[in-house]
Amino acid sequence: MTDLSVYPITRKWPASHPDRLQLYSLPTPNGVKVSIMLEECALPYEAHRVSFDSQDQFSPEFLSLNPNNKIPAILDPHGPGGQPLALFESGAILLYLAEKTGQFLPADPARRYETIQWLMFQMGGVGPMFGQLGFFHAFAGKEYEDKRPRDRYVAESRRLLGVLDARLQGQHWIMGDDYTIADIAILPWVRNLVERYGAGDLVGYGDFAEVQRVLAAFVARPAVGRGLLVP
């Protein structure tokens, strides 16, 4: 059995099942991307809650795994070559898990890169823009009298929803019939925009029928339902 005790993070979050992949996370849009992926892949894992309330993400133990102090992060005792692998950044983790299991990433090279393209659309656009809108609409930024920052993110979020809606015309998922890591990356952010941030009316979410249809299909998946509650 792999000895994970050499990793400082296991001192704060001991592994009850050190033979399983260790997930350090919180049910945020980025966090649930990985828990949903793990549920979809049916990989055995052990989840540890990184509490923002107690600033766990700034603890020396967590920083030893992710110096960027962001969730999620993983520690896989069965990484490449049978050696443990510590990994952070949700997009990188999705790619790793897809390649590890051979699931949710097309084998055809062209379609593989097209899927990665949409993963990057989330990482570089949807996540940052929706997140900033959440700050200015639902959290501390809502107290700002100047609404120009908020309106900038409203406009950009609406534009991104339009791009996604056009992509989904006549398709089951972002990559057509294939459910992929692109869906797992993007759709939790759409859900969060509407449900957690309460910004549906602000961005005109009702105008994007294709996004609504696919989000409903996404949250209806049993693995998604389980992953949204982890840890």
Side-chain angles (χ1 to χ4, degrees), residues 187-211:
L187 293 168
W189 273 102
V190 177
R191 175 181 176 271
N192 207 67
L193 179 73
V194 177
E195 295 189 11
R196 178 80 192 280
Y197 299 159
D201 289 342
L202 198 62
V203 299
Y205 184 64
D207 296 336
F208 305 106
E210 299 303 315
V211 176

Side-chain angles (χ1 to χ4, degrees), residues 134-205:
F135 173 80
F136 284 105
H137 178 64
F139 302 117
K142 68 183 179 182
E143 305 300 331
Y144 293 6
E145 292 184 10
D146 186 349
K147 297 304 180 187
R148 285 175 295 180
R150 185 205 67 176
D151 292 346
R152 178 190 187 282
Y153 295 115
V154 169
E156 183 62 5
S157 296
R158 181 174 172 82
R159 187 190 71 80
L160 291 167
L161 286 169
V163 172
L164 183 59
D165 201 71
R167 172 66 181 182
L168 292 171
Q169 291 283 340
Q171 300 197 148
H172 291 298
W173 302 106
I174 291 168
M175 289 299 297
D177 290 337
D178 296 329
Y179 174 74
T180 69
I181 58 173
D183 304 290
I184 294 171
I186 293 171
L187 293 168
W189 273 102
V190 177
R191 175 181 176 271
N192 207 67
L193 179 73
V194 177
E195 295 189 11
R196 178 80 192 280
Y197 299 159
D201 289 342
L202 198 62
V203 299
Y205 184 64

